[in-house]
């Protein structure tokens, strides 16, 4: 068994894996967890007697590993890992399926000295009436790669390639569901440290004020004008973090907010996991000069 690559998704389970940005190598998994994932992958592959490629999705909660699905086939992660490592894994898998042995092919394991981030590309701007909330139904129509010396640099480049570059300054609007109000405080504090002004809907603002975060209150669409959509259309907001129940495509005020964000081509995050990654990327992008990495020169 040869491990092609271990990619860590940024979105949590519940969002389709094809819609989640992900990192190669993993950024938050401990060495112990990674070794256990490799052990389980080998056991599953050998028990199923797979000859060729296999794709396994795991979920980890409080250190416990769950197997979500096992697919004895190639996946879109194979060409991504092949580009990152410079090894034609699909070609190798075909040779194995035709009868050659892995040990005879002597597949190298290149040193991973850069971080590779896959970001999904969505068609939302091309279809009126669509909502940007993600769930178990796959909605992306493509993907891009960001490469950098750190996760922040790679993720920042991937957002540029996907068409919504991260702002380095300006005003950030936060509006999150009740379950996210505790976690969003840390995101707001980091945005303040990066020089952003913070505005929020009343419920989210009240949570932030409890942490002595300077925040201005913005009306929801149904609370009178000027409201958040007015501020977005006037170019006064540069980053949006808006969460709702996973997979719920709301109508009314929340939908109008997300649609206005999309039509202004603003950087937006609909989960706190992606917002955390975005803040990390902004921090890194403010420190460096962008440079490219040629895949053929590794």
């Amino acid at each position: 068994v040869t491990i092609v690559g271990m990619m860590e998704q940024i979105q949590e389970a519940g969002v389709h894996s094809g819609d989640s940005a992900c990192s190669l190598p993993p950024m938050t998994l401990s060495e112990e967890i990674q070794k256990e994932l490799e052990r389980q992958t080998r056991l599953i592959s050998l028990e199923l007697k797979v000859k060729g490629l296999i794709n396994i999705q795991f979920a980890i909660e409080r250190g416990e590993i769950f197997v979500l699905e096992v697919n004895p086939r190639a996946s879109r992660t194979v060409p991504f890992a092949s580009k990152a490592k410079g090894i034609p894994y699909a070609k190798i898998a075909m040779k194995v399926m035709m009868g050659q042995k892995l040990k005879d092919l002597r597949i190298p394991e290149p040193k991973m000295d850069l971080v590779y981030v896959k970001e999904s590309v969505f068609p939302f701007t091309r279809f009126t009436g669509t909502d940007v909330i993600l769930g178990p139904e796959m909605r992306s129509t493509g993907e891009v790669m960001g490469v950098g010396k750190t996760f922040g640099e790679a993720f920042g480049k991937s957002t540029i390639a996907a068409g919504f570059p991260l702002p380095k300054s300006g005003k950030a609007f936060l509006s999150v569901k009740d379950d996210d109000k505790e976690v969003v405080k840390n995101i707001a504090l980091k945005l303040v440290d990066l020089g952003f002004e913070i505005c929020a809907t009343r419920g989210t603002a009240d949570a932030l004020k409890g942490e002595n975060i300077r925040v201005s209150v913005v009306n929801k669409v149904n609370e009178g004008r000027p409201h958040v959509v007015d501020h977005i259309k006037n170019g006064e907001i540069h980053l949006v973090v808006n969460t709702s129940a996973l997979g719920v495509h709301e109508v009314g005020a929340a939908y109008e907010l997300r649609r206005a964000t999309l039509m202004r081509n603003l950087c937006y995050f609909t989960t706190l996991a992606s917002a955390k990654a975005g803040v990390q990327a902004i921090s890194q992008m403010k420190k460096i000069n962008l440079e490219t990495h040629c895949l053929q020169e590794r």
Side-chain angles (χ1 to χ4, degrees), residues 234-288:
N234 291 336
E236 299 167 10
I237 292 174
H238 308 91
L239 174 69
V240 172
V241 178
N242 174 234
T243 69
S244 62
L246 192 61
V248 173
H249 298 267
E250 300 171 295
V251 296
Y255 167 77
E256 285 189 50
L257 159 64
R258 292 192 291 270
R259 193 67 198 174
T261 301
L262 181 67
M263 298 314 294
R264 289 286 299 188
N265 200 35
L266 295 183
C267 185
Y268 64 88
F269 298 107
T270 58
T271 67
L272 292 191
S274 57
K276 287 180 187 176
V279 170
Q280 187 176 345
I282 292 170
S283 176
Q284 186 65 32
M285 299 289 275
K286 286 171 72 78
K287 299 175 184 176
I288 63 171

Side-chain angles (χ1 to χ4, degrees), residues 65-85:
I65 296 172
F66 299 87
V67 179
L68 294 184
E69 60 181 54
V70 181
N71 300 310
R73 57 166 175 77
S75 68
R76 289 189 297 163
T77 56
V78 174
F80 183 88
S82 295
K83 287 183 175 70
K85 294 189 173 184

Side-chain angles (χ1 to χ4, degrees), residues 35 42 95 98 111 130 147-148 197 214 273 285 288 290 298:
K35 287 181 179 178
R42 286 189 168 89
K95 290 181 179 180
M98 296 298 289
K111 181 182 178 182
T130 56
V147 184
E197 295 179 52
R214 187 175 180 180
M285 299 289 275
I288 63 171
L290 280 181
R298 285 182 318 286

Side-chain angles (χ1 to χ4, degrees), residues 172-176 184 187-188 191 198-201 204-205 208 239-241:
F173 170 76
L174 311 179
S175 179
V176 299
V184 81
I187 293 174
L191 284 170
I198 305 296
C199 63
T201 48
T204 303
L208 298 179
L239 174 69
V240 172
V241 178

Side-chain angles (χ1 to χ4, degrees), residues 179-191:
D179 291 345
D180 290 341
K181 284 186 170 60
E182 192 62 35
V183 179
V184 81
K185 295 174 183 177
N186 291 329
I187 293 174
L189 285 169
K190 290 177 181 176
L191 284 170

Side-chain angles (χ1 to χ4, degrees), residues 18-291:
D19 288 351
S20 177
C22 56
S23 171
L24 176 71
M27 288 293 99
T28 70
L29 301 182
S30 67
E31 193 69 28
E32 180 183 4
I33 287 289
Q34 291 188 49
K35 287 181 179 178
E36 178 60 19
L37 289 173
E38 289 184 358
R39 187 186 74 85
Q40 291 191 22
T41 295
R42 286 189 168 89
L43 287 174
I44 292 170
S45 302
L46 292 170
E47 184 66 24
L48 293 178
K49 298 179 172 59
V50 173
K51 290 184 179 179
L53 287 160
I54 186 169
N55 174 264
I56 305 178
Q57 293 187 30
F58 296 96
I60 301 166
E61 184 179 30
R62 299 184 182 90
E64 187 175 0
I65 296 172
F66 299 87
V67 179
L68 294 184
E69 60 181 54
V70 181
N71 300 310
R73 57 166 175 77
S75 68
R76 289 189 297 163
T77 56
V78 174
F80 183 88
S82 295
K83 287 183 175 70
K85 294 189 173 184
I87 299 173
Y89 288 110
K91 183 176 181 179
I92 292 169
M94 180 55 67
K95 290 181 179 180
V96 172
M97 294 169 72
M98 296 298 289
Q100 295 190 46
K101 295 184 181 297
L102 273 177
K103 64 180 181 180
D104 296 334
L105 295 174
R106 297 183 180 181
I107 305 168
E109 183 53 42
K111 181 182 178 182
M112 295 292 290
D113 53 358
L114 294 172
V115 179
Y116 301 83
V117 169
K118 183 214 83 172
E119 178 60 288
S120 299
V121 177
F122 299 92
F124 298 137
T125 57
R126 292 174 172 80
F127 298 96
T128 58
T130 56
D131 199 347
V132 300
I133 287 292
L134 302 179
E137 176 187 334
M138 181 175 160
R139 311 185 76 196
S140 62
T141 52
E143 55 194 31
V144 294
M145 174 189 280
V147 184
K149 295 177 182 177
T150 64
F151 169 79
E153 179 186 356
F155 184 72
K157 288 179 178 178
S158 74
T159 65
I160 295 171
F164 60 102
L166 295 165
K168 295 182 181 179
S169 61
K171 182 177 286 188
F173 170 76
L174 311 179
S175 179
V176 299
K177 60 185 180 180
D178 290 341
D179 291 345
D180 290 341
K181 284 186 170 60
E182 192 62 35
V183 179
V184 81
K185 295 174 183 177
N186 291 329
I187 293 174
L189 285 169
K190 290 177 181 176
L191 284 170
V192 171
D193 289 341
L194 291 169
F196 282 81
E197 295 179 52
I198 305 296
C199 63
T201 48
R202 281 175 175 77
T204 303
D206 288 342
L208 298 179
K209 287 176 181 176
E211 298 295 318
N212 293 320
I213 298 172
R214 187 175 180 180
V215 55
S216 58
V217 176
V218 175
N219 287 336
K220 295 181 180 179
V221 172
N222 55 7
E223 292 177 341
R225 310 189 81 160
H227 48 60
V228 59
V229 173
D230 293 325
H231 291 295
I232 289 174
K233 289 181 178 178
N234 291 336
E236 299 167 10
I237 292 174
H238 308 91
L239 174 69
V240 172
V241 178
N242 174 234
T243 69
S244 62
L246 192 61
V248 173
H249 298 267
E250 300 171 295
V251 296
Y255 167 77
E256 285 189 50
L257 159 64
R258 292 192 291 270
R259 193 67 198 174
T261 301
L262 181 67
M263 298 314 294
R264 289 286 299 188
N265 200 35
L266 295 183
C267 185
Y268 64 88
F269 298 107
T270 58
T271 67
L272 292 191
S274 57
K276 287 180 187 176
V279 170
Q280 187 176 345
I282 292 170
S283 176
Q284 186 65 32
M285 299 289 275
K286 286 171 72 78
K287 299 175 184 176
I288 63 171
N289 294 319
L290 280 181
E291 59 181 15

